[in-house]
Amino acid sequence: MIPATFDYVRPGSLDEACQALASDEDAKALAGGQSLLPLLRLRLAYPSTLVDLGRLPELTGVHDRGDHVFIGAMTTHDEVMRSSLVNSACPLVALTTATVADPAVRHRGTFGGSLAHADPAADLPAVVLALDGVLVARSAEGEREIPAAEFFVDYLESALRPGEILLGARIPKLGDGWGYHYEKFHRTAQAWPIVGVAAAVRRSNGSIQEARIGLTNMGPTPLRARAVESALQGAELGDQVRQACEQAAEGTSPSGDLHAQPDYRRHLARVLTHRAIRTAAGSP
Amino acid sequence: MPRITVTVDGVGYEEEVEPRLLLVHLLRERLGKTGTPVGCDTSNCGACTVMLDGKTVKSCSVLAVQADGCDIVTIEGLGSPGSMHPMQRAFHEEHALQCGYCTPGMVMAAIDLLRDTPDPSEEAIREGLEGNLCRCTGYCNIVRAVRRGAQEMGQAVKSS
Ligand SMILES: Cc1cc2nc3c(=O)[nH]c(=O)nc-3n(C[C@H](O)[C@H](O)[C@H](O)COP(=O)(O)OP(=O)(O)OC[C@H]3O[C@@H](n4cnc5c(N)ncnc54)[C@H](O)[C@@H]3O)c2cc1C
Ligand code: FES
Ligand code: FES
């Protein structure tokens, strides 16, 4: 279908972009358009104005900031997964991004758009949550930082206020000794996960010292599998890890849809968490 | 109405466009480039794939205004019936199409894959084409065609 009419502005500076968004509450930011344009084509959204962030170079790129990496909101999925800095300092982001959509969508879709859209089925929110990322937003009033744990508020709803632009996210570097994996379950090649599990594991001498686990599509927002994280502390690879992962669905509230009923999603969360932890810990 | 300039298949155009005009509709309805079809309403099928500044995009999921100043190559810019691009010829020779609806997008995605992976394995081809759906062929001949196209393009590079 052809989208309904809207106005279009392409600001040349961040200040202009903030003003354009602040002056009209029905205006929307346009990043890669890979979620927004399908919504407009299906006439599920009717913004008055699209504020195109596509020509603001200050929003793109990946920067080494010592203890963390800053990924600009308008950096495309393709750029993120190819970045040597992201691959070395936060591999979980790189390897998860490589599972998002398909090459053509990754050429347009952006890191920030994936977070701002706050879709519980999107892969990157669970990763940023598991890594305790911090999102940075800017409005006419100035900049503010939002921890990932507070950013995802509800289904398709983030903590961004009207008029705020996401500048990017800080991803803490975890340092040596960590292993990573993103376990994504989907039935067709280029697809959203039915359930996804992001895992980072620090391991020594055959047992797990620390684990961080983010769940995709197990509720209206991405979730941490906190019960599993604490049960894994000091767990030995093998039965102890398997038992710990049995708690993966605790505190979740998955929805039922065309692809899966809630009980099936809970089952998947347990199975996929176990797979993700085993792979991240490097044990077959 | 916004005024944009684009280069499509080597020719420059200046057009006044409604903001909601999709790139694929600019190509098909304004510029007559009907070689690029529309296969879905959900950005899934990849039939509409073109190159935008050298990288594949789904032209149904880009606004024409977003392409302002860009260089676009469609299937029509790759070759012509008398002098086909090696990848087009490989699709023809390997019978990699039945209805042909997915073919323009498949060919663009295949060429994009070869930028990084000039000699792709079967698995790399299947992954590289994951955003392009074919309802007819079952993909086997498409994978064969991409292997053959890759070999011919590689030889063309060596002999030039
Ligand atoms: C066929 C297909 C398959 C896909 N498969 C997957 C998948 O497997 N996994 C997955 O995670 N995603 C998938 N996606 C979605 C893709 O990752 C999108 O790129 C992403 O969800 C949105 O990013 P975007 O840059 O395109 O944002 P847009 O579509 O431009 O914007 C999305 C929303 O975020 C807002 N927004 C964007 N950027 C900012 C900003 N900087 N500040 C404030 N607000 C902003 C917009 O206003 C809009 O509301 C798929 C998409 C398609 C079309
Ligand atoms: S028509 Fe563009 S993806 Fe289907
Ligand atoms: S040949 Fe018919 S869709 Fe591919």
Side-chain angles (χ1 to χ4, degrees):
Chain A
M1 257 193 320
I2 293 170
T5 52
F6 50 79
D7 290 330
Y8 172 85
V9 290
R10 190 163 62 212
S13 74
L14 264 179
D15 283 341
E16 264 178 65
C18 289
Q19 268 158 22
L21 282 170
S23 65
D24 174 357
E25 66 179 74
D26 293 325
K28 250 189 178 311
L30 172 64
Q34 300 303 290
S35 289
L36 191 49
L37 293 185
L39 286 179
L40 296 182
R41 289 174 68 201
L42 296 172
R43 299 222 175 179
L44 294 171
Y46 294 88
S48 56
T49 302
L50 290 189
V51 179
D52 187 352
L53 307 180
R55 308 282 162 108
L56 298 172
E58 54 272 57
L59 290 180
T60 53
V62 177
H63 311 280
D64 194 341
R65 300 266 164 82
D67 63 347
H68 68 268
V69 172
F70 184 82
I71 306 180
M74 288 297 291
T75 315
T76 63
H77 297 314
D78 188 61
E79 290 159 350
V80 168
M81 65 184 261
R82 288 166 191 270
S83 154
S84 55
L85 177 58
V86 177
N87 275 282
S88 61
C90 23
L92 186 57
V93 175
L95 60 91
T96 305
T97 303
T99 75
V100 170
D102 57 64
V105 171
R106 291 196 296 263
H107 287 148
R108 299 289 301 169
T110 66
F111 179 73
S114 267
L115 302 177
H117 196 50
D119 188 329
D123 297 296
L124 296 169
V127 170
V128 174
L129 182 69
L131 297 175
D132 288 325
V134 176
L135 292 95
V136 184
R138 169 158 164 179
S139 67
E141 278 96 67
E143 266 181 45
R144 83 185 165 110
E145 295 174 7
I146 313 162
E150 293 162 26
F151 185 80
F152 304 103
V153 176
D154 204 346
Y155 180 74
L156 299 185
E157 189 185 332
S158 78
L160 288 175
R161 299 178 186 136
E164 250 177 353
I165 291 175
L166 183 65
L167 300 182
R170 294 186 189 148
I171 311 294
K173 297 181 187 170
L174 289 186
D176 295 338
W178 288 81
Y180 305 93
H181 188 64
Y182 186 67
E183 185 75 24
K184 174 167 174 170
F185 188 82
H186 50 128
R187 285 195 304 199
T188 52
Q190 134 254 54
W192 302 82
I194 294 173
V195 172
V197 179
V201 169
R202 190 160 58 82
R203 181 189 154 182
S204 73
N205 300 332
S207 65
I208 288 174
Q209 305 301 308
E210 199 183 339
R212 290 149 172 250
I213 303 163
L215 303 175
T216 298
N217 225 358
M218 287 299 292
T221 64
L223 296 168
R224 286 287 280 269
R226 295 277 184 198
V228 184
E229 290 181 5
S230 40
L232 280 175
Q233 265 176 32
E236 278 171 28
L237 296 174
D239 281 348
Q240 289 188 358
V241 166
R242 186 194 320 278
Q243 273 161 21
C245 294
E246 284 301 308
Q247 303 175 47
E250 268 182 31
T252 63
S253 50
S255 62
D257 57 26
L258 179 73
H259 303 291
Q261 289 308 306
D263 58 342
Y264 179 52
R265 282 207 160 87
R266 287 192 200 95
H267 169 75
L268 281 176
R270 291 188 281 267
V271 172
L272 302 179
T273 299
H274 188 215
R275 284 186 197 162
I277 295 292
R278 264 189 357 210
T279 310
S283 85
Chain B
M1 260 199 277
R3 177 173 281 277
I4 62 167
T5 56
V6 286
T7 305
V8 180
D9 297 335
V11 178
Y13 298 89
E14 196 172 328
E15 293 286 318
E16 269 192 5
V17 296
E18 257 193 292
R20 63 172 168 166
L21 184 73
L22 303 173
L23 177 58
V24 71
H25 292 141
L26 173 78
L27 295 172
R28 290 179 60 84
E29 286 159 24
R30 292 280 193 89
L31 310 182
K33 297 273 178 185
T34 49
T36 302
V38 179
C40 74
D41 242 340
T42 52
S43 308
N44 277 285
C45 76
C48 63
T49 304
V50 301
M51 298 280 180
L52 185 77
D53 287 342
K55 291 179 188 161
T56 49
V57 300
K58 296 181 177 179
S59 61
C60 70
S61 305
V62 177
L63 297 172
V65 279
Q66 288 177 290
D68 186 16
C70 294
D71 184 48
I72 294 150
V73 179
T74 75
I75 190 77
E76 297 183 32
L78 284 186
S80 57
S83 72
M84 282 194 267
H85 184 281
M87 190 60 76
Q88 289 173 311
R89 205 165 46 237
F91 269 66
H92 176 78
E93 284 167 3
E94 293 289 344
H95 305 287
L97 56 141
Q98 288 175 28
C99 78
Y101 213 87
C102 68
T103 312
M106 288 286 178
V107 170
M108 300 315 272
I111 292 172
D112 186 68
L113 169 69
L114 301 186
R115 272 195 300 137
D116 286 335
T117 321
D119 184 21
S121 64
E122 169 167 354
E123 199 186 334
I125 293 170
R126 288 183 181 273
E127 279 205 5
L129 301 184
E130 70 180 326
N132 296 75
L133 308 181
C134 176
R135 304 182 68 170
C136 304
T137 64
Y139 300 100
C140 292
N141 287 3
I142 293 178
V143 173
R144 254 179 240 134
V146 177
R147 294 251 350 115
R148 180 170 182 156
Q151 277 156 11
E152 284 175 16
M153 285 169 68
Q155 271 161 15
V157 171
K158 272 183 218 130
S159 63
S160 66

